[in-house]
Amino acid sequence: MGIIEKIKEIEAEMARTQKNKATEYHLGQLKAKIAKLRTQLLEPPKGTSGAGEGFEVTKYGHGRVALIGFPSVGKSTLLTMLTGTHSEAASYEFTTLTCIPGIIHYNGTKIQLLDLPGIIEGASEGKGRGRQVIAVSKSSDVVLMVLDASKSEGHRQILTKELEAVGLRLNKRPPQIYFKKKKTGGISFNSTAPLTHVDEKLCYQILHEYKIHNAEILFREDATVDDFIDVIEGNRKYMKCLYVYNKIDVIGIDDVDNLARQPNSIVISCNLNLNLDRLLAKMWEAMGLVRIYTKPQGQQPDFTDPVVLSADRGGCSVEDFCNHIHRSLVKEVKYVLVWGTSARHNPQNCGLSQVLQDEDVVQIVKKKEREGEGRGRFKSHTTGPARIADREKKAPLKQ
C-alpha cells in the first residue's frame, strides 16, 4: 500500500470515529500518523539528489509575493496590470505552465511578484504541478490567494487544505510550546496555562508514535493536538495570506460587501481596474517592510535609495541595520543618531538594540582610531621598537 492510500485509509477511520472524551487519545494518534506520512510524501524519492522540486526563479528585490489559485481566476492578468510584465492570458484553463516573475515598484521598494500555474485539488499529493507551485510559495514572504468571486466559498477551503497538508500555515503564529529532545531522563511535561485540548497522557502517546522517549515539553498557552504535532515535526512555515476576490463586476453589491468585510480579504476587478491601489496598500502592510534612510555626517539625508528591513527577514533593530550594510560595521559604532517615529526626540542618541520604524533617518558615528597607547604626556608617538633589547646599538665613539 502506498503512502497516499495509507493517508486516505486513516482519514476514513477518523471520519468514522465519534469525537468524545473516550476517543480523543485514539484521534490524536491518528493525527500523528497522518503528519508522519505527509512528511514522508514531501521527501524526495530515494536514489535522487536532495534538491526539491521547484521553478528556477532567482530572488530579486526587497520581498517576494506568490500568486496562488485555481486555473482561470485572473492571476496572469493581475500580474500584467501590477508589474507590466506580459503573462499569457486566455479564456481556457492552464494557460500559464511555468513561473513568470514580475517586479512591483511601490513606495521606493522593489517587490517580486510570481505568477504560478493554477493548482487543483490533490496538489499536495503531486497532482498537476502542485508540489512545484507549493515549493515556490514556501520561499515567499506573502501569499496572494486569488479567488473567483462568482464561484463558491469552497474553493478557498480546498486551497487552504492543500497548503496546510504540505506544512503551510496561513495567517497563524507559531504555537507557544517549548519542545526539546534529550538523550536520557524520560519525558518532562509542564504547562504555564490551563490546558483544555490536550493532557499529559495524550502528549505521551503522540511522542510514542514518533518514537521519542526523552524530551522536555512546556506549554505556554492552551494549544491543540495539531499545534503540538506541528512543533514536533518542526518543518512548518507560518505565512501571511491575503484572499483576493477577483471578478466582482459579475456579482451583486451585497455579495461584494460580504466578501470585503471578511478578515484578510480584498475585492478587485482586473477587467474594470477596480481597487488595485488598495490591494497594493494591503500587500505592503502584510509584508511589514521598513524603509531606513541614511545620513552621512555633516550632509543632508539620502532619500533616493533606502535600506529596506523586515521583521521576517533578519529584524529591524539598529544592529540589523548595521549588519545589512556591512558585517564589520557593528564593532566600529560609537553611537547612532535617529530621526523619525521611533525616536522620543529628534535626534535621539540610540544603541544597537533600538527598534527602527518605517522612514526613519539614521546617522552612524564611528569610533576614532587611536594613534598610540597612553594618555596625555605619556602618549607615545614614536615608531621605534618597544623593547630596549630590540633597539639598534650606536657605533662606538672614535678614540
Side-chain angles (χ1 to χ4, degrees):
M1 186 184 295
I3 296 176
I4 297 174
E5 287 78 13
K6 289 180 182 177
I7 291 174
K8 289 182 178 178
E9 185 180 335
I10 295 173
E11 285 177 343
E13 185 179 350
M14 289 178 66
R16 291 193 305 266
T17 307
Q18 292 183 350
K19 292 183 180 179
N20 52 46
K21 195 71 178 174
T23 60
E24 63 178 4
Y25 301 111
H26 180 59
L27 288 172
Q29 281 186 311
L30 293 178
K31 287 180 179 179
K33 286 181 180 178
I34 285 183
K36 282 177 61 180
L37 291 171
R38 281 178 174 158
T39 303
Q40 294 176 20
L41 198 62
L42 293 175
E43 292 174 354
K46 292 182 180 179
T48 60
S49 61
E53 292 180 296
F55 298 103
E56 295 180 359
V57 181
T58 307
K59 275 197 172 184
Y60 180 81
H62 303 111
R64 175 182 266 196
V65 178
L67 294 173
I68 285 185
F70 281 101
S72 294
V73 293
K75 298 188 298 296
S76 300
T77 309
L78 184 61
L79 176 85
T80 304
M81 297 187 74
L82 291 179
T83 66
T85 305
H86 177 68
S87 180
E88 188 70 30
S91 58
Y92 54 87
E93 295 186 345
F94 298 105
T95 313
T96 305
L97 298 176
T98 185
C99 180
I100 300 174
I103 301 297
I104 301 173
H105 297 271
Y106 188 73
N107 283 348
T109 61
K110 298 174 183 175
I111 301 171
Q112 187 180 42
L113 187 65
L114 302 179
D115 179 20
L116 297 169
I119 61 176
I120 56 176
E121 192 172 359
S124 58
E125 300 170 0
K127 291 183 180 178
R129 306 195 74 178
R131 284 194 193 174
Q132 292 171 287
V133 172
I134 292 166
V136 175
S137 305
K138 280 190 173 182
S139 67
S140 306
D141 301 310
V142 175
V143 170
L144 291 187
M145 188 182 290
V146 185
L147 303 162
D148 192 337
S150 62
K151 299 289 178 66
S152 66
E153 187 65 18
H155 283 192
R156 171 172 166 174
Q157 296 173 1
I158 293 170
L159 285 172
T160 304
K161 183 181 177 183
E162 293 295 329
L163 294 177
E164 288 197 344
V166 294
L168 274 176
R169 299 291 179 262
L170 303 180
N171 296 324
K172 293 181 181 178
R173 57 177 180 82
Q176 297 296 308
I177 302 173
Y178 172 77
F179 174 76
K180 183 181 180 182
K181 291 183 184 178
K182 297 191 298 183
K183 294 183 179 178
T184 57
I187 296 175
S188 170
F189 181 88
N190 289 296
S191 65
T192 59
L195 302 179
T196 59
H197 303 288
V198 296
D199 58 10
E200 191 171 351
K201 181 182 175 183
L202 180 56
C203 291
Y204 283 9
Q205 288 187 345
I206 292 172
L207 290 173
H208 182 72
E209 189 67 38
Y210 281 92
K211 298 179 181 177
I212 298 173
H213 307 291
N214 302 286
E216 287 182 16
I217 308 165
L218 175 62
F219 279 75
R220 297 191 179 98
E221 66 178 6
D222 186 16
T224 62
V225 178
D226 298 316
D227 293 334
F228 183 55
I229 293 173
D230 288 347
V231 171
I232 296 174
E233 288 284 346
N235 59 354
R236 305 306 191 223
K237 182 79 183 289
Y238 297 86
M239 299 187 67
K240 295 176 183 175
C241 176
L242 288 177
Y243 304 102
V244 182
Y245 289 92
N246 189 20
K247 304 180 183 179
I248 60 170
D249 51 316
V250 298
I251 62 174
I253 189 65
D254 294 334
D255 296 330
V256 173
D257 186 59
N258 291 332
L259 292 175
R261 291 182 184 277
Q262 295 182 8
N264 302 308
S265 298
I266 185 149
V267 291
I268 64 166
S269 173
C270 294
N271 187 27
L272 300 179
N273 196 5
L274 293 176
N275 216 23
L276 295 182
D277 53 345
R278 178 64 181 154
L279 172 62
L280 289 174
K282 272 262 193 182
M283 189 193 308
W284 174 265
E285 183 183 342
M287 296 187 74
L289 297 180
V290 176
R291 294 163 293 171
I292 308 299
Y293 301 104
T294 56
K295 180 185 180 302
Q297 282 183 273
Q299 300 180 28
Q300 292 295 321
D302 181 16
F303 292 111
T304 56
D305 189 17
V307 175
V308 181
L309 305 176
S310 172
D312 299 330
R313 289 190 177 191
C316 300
S317 66
V318 173
E319 185 176 0
D320 301 323
F321 170 76
C322 296
N323 289 330
H324 189 89
I325 296 173
H326 200 278
R327 288 287 178 185
S328 63
L329 185 58
V330 176
K331 300 176 183 177
E332 303 174 6
V333 173
K334 184 178 181 182
Y335 62 90
V336 176
L337 295 176
V338 177
W339 291 261
T341 53
S342 66
R344 296 181 181 176
H345 47 83
N346 292 321
Q348 181 182 352
N349 192 330
C350 302
L352 294 175
S353 61
Q354 173 81 6
V355 178
L356 301 171
Q357 295 181 10
D358 192 27
E359 294 191 307
D360 280 357
V361 176
V362 174
Q363 175 182 321
I364 298 175
V365 180
K366 291 185 179 181
K367 299 174 184 175
K368 292 184 179 179
E369 296 182 2
R370 293 183 178 180
E371 295 179 358
E373 296 299 325
R375 292 183 178 179
R377 62 195 182 96
F378 299 103
K379 193 172 181 180
S380 173
H381 295 281
T382 179
T383 57
R387 297 190 306 171
I388 296 176
D390 295 337
R391 293 178 183 172
E392 294 183 6
K393 292 183 179 180
K394 293 182 180 180
L397 297 172
K398 294 182 181 179
Q399 295 181 355

